[in-house]
Amino acid sequence: MQQTVVDHIERVAEDVVSLVLRGATGPLAPWEPGAHIDLALPNWLTRQYSLCGDPADRESYRVAVRYDRLSRGGSEYIHRFLRQGRALDVSLPRNHFPLLPAPEYLFLAGGIGITPILPMLRAAAASDVPASLVYLGPSVESMPFVDELRSCYGDRVRIVATRQQGRPDFAALASALSPGAVVYACGPAPMLAAAEEAFPSGRLYAERFRPAPRSFAPNTAFEAVCARSGRTVQVPDDESLLDALTHAGFPVASGCREGVCGSCEVAVLDGEPEHRDDIGAPAGRMYTCVSRALSPRLVVDL
């Protein structure tokens, strides 16, 4: 974890605030576009947010948080109680949505999904790679960083207020793609579903707020052997591996609990995990919040 202090809080759209977190003890860890961090909040919750500042700035991180009316306590705390000067521990940056080299980019963002896209557009512009952004939201007032985008990137940015204009024709955008151009998209599920229908799968990279609907075989019980202590933890069919480990005294850091953030990763030393995450666990690892076991026994590095 890294120690930071809340340097600045700014309202950047309806129900959206931007936080600038300054390193409390020196430069912060480097990051690349698409990365996110976990914020350890004072109300004992951990939440993940995409970094949306400048990777060249090693003194501070910037994130943006939309207030969720059905908040489980994270966005509500940030909007109602977090104040300038508050110390916050944050994780090292992790990146499951990296910007890969390409001759041209089309970026699609919906609402708060602009946050990982902002530094991607900045990087493309700095490298003189052709890039454009289509940014969707119900209204301009609900869309963070509109003024910043317009002032920095001008006509490379198309702002679409969908209540008045409707959603743009993604099929037309797809047909206009130049050879080699790739699409990066982040936003709500309906927008991503439309993008996946319109754009070729090999040219579309997407990050989700929530896991995509998928079906799995019914849960079965299994056991997890914690290699460092030799203890065995029973994981019943109605409990996640994350919760079973926590209840047995092996707490694992966690954020989303939905298989989209990667904060609860553990190494698997033996056995066959059943990966149910949405981001693709690296070889030999699994995300304990959603993934289970295809073998009756897993050995994990705990």
Side-chain angles (χ1 to χ4, degrees), residues 72 151 161 191 219 228 254 286:
R72 294 175 294 170
S151 65
M191 187 199 90
N219 290 352
R228 296 181 211 171
S254 64
M286 68 183 293

Short mmCIF file of all heavy atoms in Angstrom, two decimals, residues 72 151 161 191 219 228 254 286:
data_model
loop_
_atom_site.label_atom_id
_atom_site.label_comp_id
_atom_site.label_asym_id
_atom_site.label_seq_id
_atom_site.Cartn_x
_atom_site.Cartn_y
_atom_site.Cartn_z
N ARG A 72 -23.09 0.65 -1.75
CA ARG A 72 -22.82 -0.26 -0.62
C ARG A 72 -21.93 0.41 0.41
O ARG A 72 -21.45 -0.24 1.33
CB ARG A 72 -22.17 -1.54 -1.14
CG ARG A 72 -23.07 -2.39 -2.03
CD ARG A 72 -22.34 -3.59 -2.59
NE ARG A 72 -21.28 -3.17 -3.51
CZ ARG A 72 -20.37 -3.98 -4.01
NH1 ARG A 72 -20.35 -5.26 -3.66
NH2 ARG A 72 -19.45 -3.55 -4.85
N SER A 151 -11.29 21.36 -24.50
CA SER A 151 -10.19 22.32 -24.58
C SER A 151 -8.89 21.66 -25.02
O SER A 151 -8.07 22.29 -25.71
CB SER A 151 -10.00 23.01 -23.23
OG SER A 151 -9.59 22.07 -22.23
N ALA A 161 -25.09 13.69 -26.06
CA ALA A 161 -26.08 13.67 -24.98
C ALA A 161 -27.25 12.81 -25.44
O ALA A 161 -28.08 13.24 -26.25
CB ALA A 161 -26.53 15.09 -24.65
N MET A 191 -24.27 -0.13 -23.60
CA MET A 191 -23.35 0.45 -24.56
C MET A 191 -22.33 -0.57 -25.04
O MET A 191 -22.03 -0.69 -26.23
CB MET A 191 -22.63 1.65 -23.95
CG MET A 191 -21.77 2.44 -24.92
SD MET A 191 -20.51 3.49 -24.14
CE MET A 191 -19.12 2.35 -24.06
N ASN A 219 -22.40 -24.77 -8.11
CA ASN A 219 -21.26 -24.80 -7.19
C ASN A 219 -21.14 -26.16 -6.53
O ASN A 219 -22.15 -26.79 -6.19
CB ASN A 219 -21.44 -23.75 -6.09
CG ASN A 219 -21.30 -22.34 -6.61
OD1 ASN A 219 -20.92 -22.12 -7.75
ND2 ASN A 219 -21.61 -21.38 -5.75
N ARG A 228 1.55 -22.31 3.10
CA ARG A 228 2.53 -21.80 4.05
C ARG A 228 2.29 -22.33 5.46
O ARG A 228 3.24 -22.54 6.22
CB ARG A 228 2.52 -20.28 4.06
CG ARG A 228 2.93 -19.66 2.75
CD ARG A 228 2.93 -18.14 2.83
NE ARG A 228 2.59 -17.52 1.56
CZ ARG A 228 2.35 -16.25 1.40
NH1 ARG A 228 2.41 -15.43 2.44
NH2 ARG A 228 2.03 -15.76 0.21
N SER A 254 -9.69 -7.48 -0.97
CA SER A 254 -10.73 -7.59 -1.98
C SER A 254 -11.32 -6.22 -2.25
O SER A 254 -11.24 -5.31 -1.42
CB SER A 254 -11.84 -8.55 -1.53
OG SER A 254 -12.51 -8.06 -0.38
N MET A 286 -5.64 -17.10 -9.48
CA MET A 286 -7.09 -17.05 -9.55
C MET A 286 -7.60 -15.91 -8.69
O MET A 286 -6.88 -15.41 -7.80
CB MET A 286 -7.72 -18.37 -9.09
CG MET A 286 -7.54 -18.67 -7.60
SD MET A 286 -8.21 -20.29 -7.11
CE MET A 286 -9.97 -20.05 -7.36
#
